[in-house]
Every structure is written in C-alpha cells, then in structure tokens.
Amino acid sequence: MAALVAFGLSLGLPILLKPVLLRHGVLDIPNERSSHTEAVVRGMGITVAAGVAGGLIVAIVGAGTGEGPLLATVGGASLAAALLGWAEDFRGLGIRVRFLLQLAIGAAATAMLVELTDASWWWVPLGAVAVAGYINVANFMDGVNGISGLHGLAVGGMFAAVGAMYGMPWLVSAALVIAMAFAAFLPWNLRGRNFLGDVGSYLLGGSLAVTGVAAFLSGVGPEMLLGPVSVYLADTATTLLRRIGAGERWYAPHRQHVYQRLTDVGLSHLQSAVLVTACSLLTGICGIVAGGGTLPAKVAALAAGAAVLVLYLKSPRILGRRRQGYATGR
C-alpha cells in the first residue's frame, strides 16, 4: 500500500505542479553541462518528494514495533535534502553553504540512526560524509532523460530485496517507496520535457544514502549496499579525478561523465540511461552475492563487479571505436 501511494502521488501531482512552475519561470536553461538544447521545466522533483513523504507516512502507520522511528528518520532526512534542493532551484546557494547543509543533514540523520540501532557514535562523521557525498553524486549524474528515475527504481528495488533477505520489513517498505516514487516520474521525464531539478536529484541521493546508512547500522553487509550504487560512484570519482588532474575547475559545469560521453558517441538519452542502469543492476547483484556467499563466491562476485565497472568506464571509447569502424567500412 505504501509503495502504491508513493507511485500515485508522484505520477499524478505533476499535472497540478507544472502550470505553477511555468507561471513562475522555474526553467532549466541549457549550459555547459546540459544534454538538452532548449529551456524545460525543472523543479518537478517536488512531486516525487510528495510521493516519498506520502508513502512513508503510510508505511510508518503500519510499521511494527521499533520500525517507525527508522522510517521516520529516513523520511525526515530525505525531505530535508529535497528542501535544500528546492532552495537551490529557486534561489541558488553557494557551494560551501550547500555542502555544509548537506553534511548537517547527514550528521543529524546518522546520529538519530546510531541512537536507534545502538551503533558506535564514531559512525556519525562517516555517515555525514556518505550522505552529503551521495547527494552530490546523484546531482552530478542527473544529466540525461530517465537516468534518475531508473536509478531510483533499480537501487530501491535492490535495497528492498536485501531487506527481504535480512528480514527487515522497514527496509523493504522504505526502499519500495523510493523505487515507486521515482519510477512514476519516468513518463514525465523520458521525453525531456520535465526535469526533476535539484529538489529531485537531492532527494534521490539523500533518500538512498540515508536508507543505506540505516541498513548498514542495522547489520546489512556493506557489499550489498555499495554494489547497487558503485556505477554512480565510479563515474563521478573518475570524472572528478580526471578533471583535477587536468587542472580544471572540478565544480564547474561540464559534460565529461561517462554517461554524457555515451550520448556523444551516438547513444540516445534513454540508451545511455538504460546502460547505466543495467550496469548498476549487474554490480548490485554481484554485491548481493558477495555479501551473502562463501569466500570463493565473494571473491568471484567482487571480481565480476569490478569487471563490469571497468567495461562501463571504457564504454564510450569502445562504442566510439565501433562507430568509427562502421563509418570507415572496417
């Protein structure tokens, strides 16, 4: 029921919100980072936030003993991240201010989760960095149509599967709410006429990161949580290091991520998003196998996951060479 509420709200509310955003001129103007060429409506992610909020409220009402506070913490941190993104969409915030507020959200959420799970307080600074970091990762990776909706659906689905394996109904509920809320936005976004905006990408990163931190502090193996997000992490990390090594301003708008370069070698937005999601599913499966298998299975799964990441990172070059070969008749 919670997932259905999230899906329904996220799917239906854009009908009401889009005219409001158009009236207030909340548009995404193409820049050096953009993969689109004309102004489109942004900030539509507020409807996904409403879906997540509504779904989690239903989940909290039906939660078992001790599960409600975990769901409430995930929901509170997710919505705080969304509100921060909303402020960025409407007014703009300095880089330092944004990052400090992201850290504050992560620290507050992790502190609450530590209290609920009796984990070590040493996890608070690490949780703060993890949440702030993934909010930015999700924001950096939200550059082609459908990629964020598919990421939320895929990672949320895998987190739900992990929750079922560990017997954690709260994790199943939270993950399915996130998955369905982002899946419902896909029909609005796939044709490139409506964008999540920072409110949506911050919500995506914040909700998945806080859910992951909560699951980890509750005893879930890290491989199972890192596997589904490793493609996003690898793409962002390698792009950042490459830009720093080249002496570029790493925070300036650009189109050097792997998923963006895939569109430069001929893939459509949807094809690029599907490739990223397929690789995320593969690394996620590898992470789940590694987290629950014997030592030989763990080694094999981690090696397979690493191979998927290498192939993904090299995919623009591989596809570019094939395209060049077809063009020259070789």
Side-chain angles (χ1 to χ4, degrees), residues 183-197:
F185 187 69
L186 284 170
W188 291 95
N189 177 238
L190 283 177
R191 300 180 69 178
R193 295 177 179 175
N194 308 279
F195 282 8
L196 285 169

Side-chain angles (χ1 to χ4, degrees), residues 2-323:
L4 290 177
V5 169
F7 186 88
L9 289 172
S10 185
L11 181 64
L13 285 177
I15 297 173
L16 301 176
L17 180 64
K18 185 172 182 177
V20 177
L21 295 177
L22 284 171
R23 188 161 57 247
H24 288 83
V26 185
L27 302 174
D28 191 272
I29 307 300
N31 58 26
E32 295 89 342
R33 175 175 173 254
S34 302
S35 296
H36 59 99
T37 57
E38 58 185 27
V40 295
V41 178
R42 69 173 180 179
M44 295 283 280
I46 196 68
T47 62
V48 183
V52 170
L56 287 178
I57 289 172
V58 173
I60 290 169
V61 171
T65 303
E67 294 184 332
L70 287 170
L71 289 167
T73 301
V74 169
S78 300
L79 294 181
L83 286 173
L84 179 58
W86 183 251
E88 174 64 14
D89 279 328
F90 267 85
R91 300 187 60 180
L93 298 170
I95 294 176
R96 292 182 182 179
V97 172
R98 288 203 309 266
F99 190 63
L100 287 174
L101 290 173
Q102 291 163 359
L103 285 173
I105 292 169
T110 307
M112 180 62 71
L113 292 169
V114 163
E115 181 68 23
L116 292 172
T117 59
D118 293 324
S120 170
W121 285 92
W122 288 106
W123 290 115
V124 172
L126 292 176
V129 172
V131 172
Y134 206 69
I135 288 174
N136 284 288
V137 167
N139 183 247
F140 294 153
M141 294 290 291
D142 184 32
V144 294
N145 303 334
I147 193 169
S148 290
L150 288 172
H151 189 66
L153 174 61
V155 179
M158 286 186 281
F159 279 6
V162 170
M165 292 172 60
Y166 274 81
M168 296 180 178
W170 72 266
L171 178 54
V172 175
S173 295
L176 286 180
V177 163
I178 294 168
M180 289 298 97
F182 277 94
F185 187 69
L186 284 170
W188 291 95
N189 177 238
L190 283 177
R191 300 180 69 178
R193 295 177 179 175
N194 308 279
F195 282 8
L196 285 169
D198 288 338
V199 58
S201 61
Y202 280 33
L203 171 69
L204 176 63
S207 62
L208 292 178
V210 173
T211 301
V213 170
F216 173 73
L217 295 178
S218 298
V220 176
E223 304 95 335
M224 294 186 170
L225 302 170
L226 289 173
V229 300
S230 60
V231 169
Y232 262 41
L233 293 173
D235 193 332
T236 302
T238 54
T239 301
L240 178 63
L241 292 174
R242 185 168 58 249
R243 286 174 59 78
I244 292 175
E248 301 175 11
R249 291 187 304 162
W250 60 269
Y251 52 85
H254 64 88
R255 283 184 39 78
Q256 297 179 24
H257 281 282
V258 174
Y259 76 90
Q260 292 168 321
R261 289 158 50 211
L262 284 169
T263 64
D264 293 338
V265 297
L267 267 62
S268 67
H269 281 221
L270 181 58
Q271 288 171 331
S272 174
V274 167
L275 178 58
V276 171
T277 305
C279 290
S280 295
L281 287 169
L282 289 174
T283 57
I285 292 170
C286 290
I288 291 173
V289 172
T294 61
L295 181 58
K298 182 187 294 287
V299 172
L302 291 176
V308 172
L309 290 179
V310 171
L311 286 173
Y312 169 73
L313 294 174
K314 291 183 176 294
S315 60
R317 186 179 303 174
I318 295 171
L319 292 174
R321 287 176 177 173
R322 290 187 62 184
R323 184 182 182 189

